[in-house]
C-alpha cells in the first residue's frame, strides 16, 4: 500500500486526514449507508484519520446497530442540523402514506414537486450550506474532502468546503445522477441544470469514484476527457460480517424451496418482477414448494401487489433486521433474489449483489439486462429473468444449482475482488497518489 511503508529513520509516515460528507450515516441503516460506513471502518488501517459530517435528523425506523458498531471509534463525527430537518423527520410517515395509495400518494407527489422546485439539487441543500459554514476547526484540518452521493447536495458542500480550505475534493458516485431516471423531474429546465451542475462539480474534483466499468463508461459519454480522474471502487462485502455465520439451510421445512429477497421495496414499482415470480410458481406442479420471502420494509401498496401476484402459500413478508442478521438469513436461503426496478439504470450494481455472491448461494435476478445480470452470468452463480419473458428455463437452472451439493458459488479469486477492506486500500492508494507531489 502507498501508505504502509516506513518513513525516514524507520518512522511510520505521517497519517493523512480526510473529511467525509455523508448526509445519512449510522445508526441509519440501509444500502445507501453501507458503502461509506465500510470505508470509514477500514480507511484508518491505511493511515487515515477521519472526520465525518452527517445530518442530525432523527433516526428513521430502519436503524442498524451493526453498522454503528463498525464505525464507532473510527473518527470524529460532527452532526449538522439543516433548515429542512423537519422535512426529513416527516419523510418516513409521508412515504408510508404514499404506500397507501390514493390521497397519500397525491400528497407525496405534491410535496416532491414543491421540494424539487424550491430545493436544488435536493432537500439536503440547507444541510450542505450549514456544513460549509462550520468553524474551520470542526473539519479536522483535512488533506482531502470526500463526499458521497446521493444526496448530491453533499457534492456541493464538498466543493464549497474544499475551496474554503484550499484542499482537493473527491466525489463518490453510489448512484448515477444526471443519467438516472430516478432523479428526473418535470420541472422546466431542471434536467439540463442537473447535467450542467454535475459537469461543473466533476470538473473541479481531483478524483471521482464510480462503482463499475459500466458507470465509468456512462460518465465518459456525458463528460468526455474525465477518464484519468475516474476511479472504479466497486461495491462489495465485508468478510467480517460473515465470520461465524452458518452457511446452508437450517431447520426449515424440507418441502419448501426458500427464495429470499433481503431488502426493502419502496421507491420503485416491483410489480412486474413479482408477477413474473407468481406466474412461475403457479406452474410448479411437483417437488418442494417455492416460497419467496421478502425480508425488509414493504410499503402497503407494494405488499398488496405482492399478495395479488403470488399465492399466499408461496409468499412471506418479514420485517427488516440488522445487517448481520440479514447476512445470516442469506446464508441459509436456497436461492437469493434480486428484484430490480423495471426501468433500471443499466450500469447500476446494487451492493446487495456482492453480499449475495459472498453468501455462496445461487442468485436469481428478476430484471432486464443490466450490469448486475451480466455479473451474475459471468460468475456462473445463477441466472436472470426478464419480467416480460419466459422464466421457466432460467428458474429451472437456478433451482438445480440450489439442489446441487457441489455448488460453492463464484471462484475465490473473484470473490476476493469485492472485499471491502481491499476497496478501502484501493481508494487509499488513489488518494495518496493524488496528494503526493
Amino acid at each position: 500500500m502507498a501508505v504502509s511503508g516506513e518513513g525516514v529513520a524507520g518512522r511510520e509516515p505521517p497519517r493523512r486526514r480526510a473529511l467525509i460528507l455523508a448526509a445519512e450515516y449510522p445508526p441509519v441503516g440501509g444500502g445507501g449507508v453501507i458503502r461509506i460506513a465500510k470505508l470509514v471502518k477500514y480507511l484508518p488501517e491505511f493511515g487515515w484519520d477521519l472526520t465525518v459530517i452527517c445530518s442530525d435528523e432523527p433516526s428513521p425506523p430502519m436503524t442498524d446497530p451493526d453498522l454503528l458498531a463498525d464505525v464507532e471509534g473510527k473518527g470524529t463525527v460532527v452532526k449538522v442540523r439543516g433548515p429542512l430537518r423537519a422535512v426529513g423527520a416527516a419523510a418516513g410517515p409521508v412515504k408510508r402514506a404514499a404506500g397507501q395509495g390514493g390521497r397519500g400518494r397525491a400528497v407525496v407527489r405534491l410535496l416532491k414537486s414543491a421540494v424539487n422546485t424550491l430545493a436544488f439539487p435536493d432537500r439536503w441543500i440547507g444541510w450542505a450550506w450549514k456544513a460549509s459554514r462550520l468553524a474551520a476547526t470542526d473539519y479536522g484540518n483535512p488533506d482531502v474532502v470526500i463526499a458521497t452521493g446521493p444526496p448530491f447536495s453533499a457534492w456541493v458542500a464538498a466543493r464549497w468546503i474544499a475551496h474554503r480550505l484550499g484542499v482537493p475534493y473527491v466525489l463518490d458516485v453510489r448512484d448515477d445522477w444526471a443519467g438516472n431516471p430516478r432523479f428526473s423531474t418535470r420541472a422546466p429546465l431542471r434536467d439540463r441544470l442537473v447535467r450542467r451542475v454535475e459537469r461543473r462539480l466533476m470538473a473541479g474534483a481531483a478524483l471521482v469514484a464510480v462503482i463499475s466499468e459500466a458507470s465509468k463508461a456512462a460518465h465518459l459519454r456525458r463528460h468526455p476527457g474525465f477518464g484519468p480522474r475516474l476511479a472504479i471502487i466497486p461495491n462489495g462485502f465485508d468478510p467480517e460480517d460473515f465470520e461465524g455465520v452458518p452457511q446452508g439451510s437450517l431447520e426449515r421445512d424440507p418441502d419448501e424451496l426458500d427464495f429470499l429477497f433481503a431488502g426493502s421495496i419502496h421507491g420503485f414499482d416491483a410489480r412486474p418482477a413479482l408477477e413474473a415470480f407468481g406466474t412461475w410458481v403457479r406452474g410448479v406442479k411437483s417437488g418442494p414448494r417455492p416460497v419467496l420471502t421478502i425480508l425488509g420494509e414493504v410499503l402497503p401498496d407494494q405488499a398488496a401487489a405482492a399478495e395479488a401476484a403470488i399465492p399466499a402459500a408461496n409468499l412471506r413478508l418479514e420485517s427488516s433486521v440488522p445487517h448481520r442478521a440479514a447476512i445470516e438469513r442469506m446464508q441459509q436461503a436456497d436461492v437469493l433474489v434480486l428484484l430490480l426496478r423495471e426501468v433500471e439504470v443499466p450500469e447500476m450494481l446494487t451492493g446487495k449483489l456482492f453480499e449475495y455472491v459472498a453468501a455462496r448461494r445461487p442468485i436469481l435476478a428478476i430484471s432486464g439486462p443490466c450490469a448486475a445480470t451480466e455479473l451474475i452470468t459471468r460468475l456462473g452463480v445463477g441466472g436472470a429473468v426478464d419480467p416480460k419473458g419466459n422464466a421457466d428455463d432460467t428458474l429451472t437452472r437456478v433451482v438445480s444449482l440450489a439442489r446441487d451439493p457441489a455448488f460453492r458459488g463464484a471462484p475465490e479469486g473473484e470473490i476476493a475482488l469485492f472485499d471491502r477492506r481491499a476497496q478501502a486500500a484501493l481508494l487509499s492508494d488513489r488518494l495518496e497518489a493524488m496528494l503526493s507531489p
Side-chain angles (χ1 to χ4, degrees), residues 80-365:
V80 173
R81 175 168 296 192
L84 294 180
R85 182 177 187 267
V87 176
V94 168
K95 186 168 62 177
R96 287 189 288 277
Q100 301 285 357
R103 182 177 298 177
R105 181 169 294 171
V107 170
V108 168
R109 282 199 298 265
L110 181 61
L111 289 173
K112 282 186 174 180
S113 176
V115 170
N116 287 337
T117 300
L118 300 174
F120 182 87
D122 45 55
R123 71 172 179 85
W124 297 90
I125 189 61
W127 167 82
W129 183 82
K130 291 282 291 283
S132 72
R133 306 309 300 168
L134 294 175
T137 53
D138 289 333
Y139 298 132
N141 192 25
D143 298 295
V144 62
V145 179
I146 303 171
T148 185
F152 300 104
S153 288
W155 292 6
V156 178
R159 181 182 175 92
W160 287 339
I161 295 171
H163 178 74
R164 179 181 170 191
L165 300 179
V167 298
Y169 69 89
V170 172
L171 303 180
D172 178 49
V173 188
R174 298 196 322 274
D175 288 340
D176 196 349
W177 184 16
N180 193 333
R182 174 185 170 194
F183 301 115
S184 181
T185 74
R186 297 180 180 179
L189 304 180
R190 186 182 176 89
D191 289 351
R192 186 182 302 176
L193 180 60
V194 165
R195 290 192 294 272
R196 181 177 297 178
V197 172
E198 179 189 74
R199 180 177 183 84
R200 184 173 182 182
L201 291 171
M202 290 182 61
L207 189 70
V208 178
V210 296
I211 62 172
S212 67
E213 287 284 359
S215 180
K216 180 177 180 179
H219 282 83
L220 286 177
R221 285 193 296 270
R222 290 201 301 275
H223 311 299
F226 282 14
R229 282 177 289 147
L230 287 171
I232 299 174
I233 310 292
N235 279 319
F237 72 99
D238 186 350
E240 290 189 2
D241 290 339
F242 288 78
E243 291 179 358
V245 177
Q247 183 176 2
S249 301
L250 299 177
E251 298 182 4
R252 288 192 297 98
D253 188 340
D255 294 328
E256 290 184 357
L257 196 63
D258 182 28
F259 288 75
L260 175 70
F261 173 74
S264 299
I265 302 181
H266 53 72
F268 72 101
D269 185 1
R271 283 176 298 181
L274 296 168
E275 289 168 358
F277 188 85
T279 298
W280 175 68
V281 298
R282 286 185 173 88
V284 175
K285 304 301 182 185
S286 61
R289 181 175 75 257
V291 177
L292 174 63
T293 299
I294 300 175
L295 181 65
E297 182 185 10
V298 183
L299 296 182
D301 61 341
Q302 299 277 26
E307 291 164 351
I310 302 171
N314 304 96
L315 176 68
R316 291 196 184 96
L317 303 178
E318 299 182 5
S319 300
S320 299
V321 296
H323 189 219
R324 185 174 173 83
I327 286 176
E328 182 172 357
R329 187 68 180 79
M330 293 178 202
Q331 295 270 60
Q332 298 171 9
D334 291 311
V335 178
L336 298 171
V337 180
L338 285 178
L339 302 175
L340 300 177
R341 66 186 74 237
E342 186 177 15
V343 184
E344 187 60 274
V345 180
E347 58 270 17
M348 182 177 287
L349 275 173
T350 173
K352 190 192 329 292
L353 172 58
F354 300 98
E355 292 185 331
Y356 280 8
V357 170
R360 299 179 182 276
R361 308 303 302 148
I363 302 171
L364 171 68

Side-chain angles (χ1 to χ4, degrees), residues 410-428:
E412 286 290 344
E414 293 279 5
I415 293 177
L417 295 175
F418 307 126
D419 187 322
R420 294 283 191 185
R421 180 183 276 107
Q423 291 158 6
L426 176 60
L427 178 59
S428 176

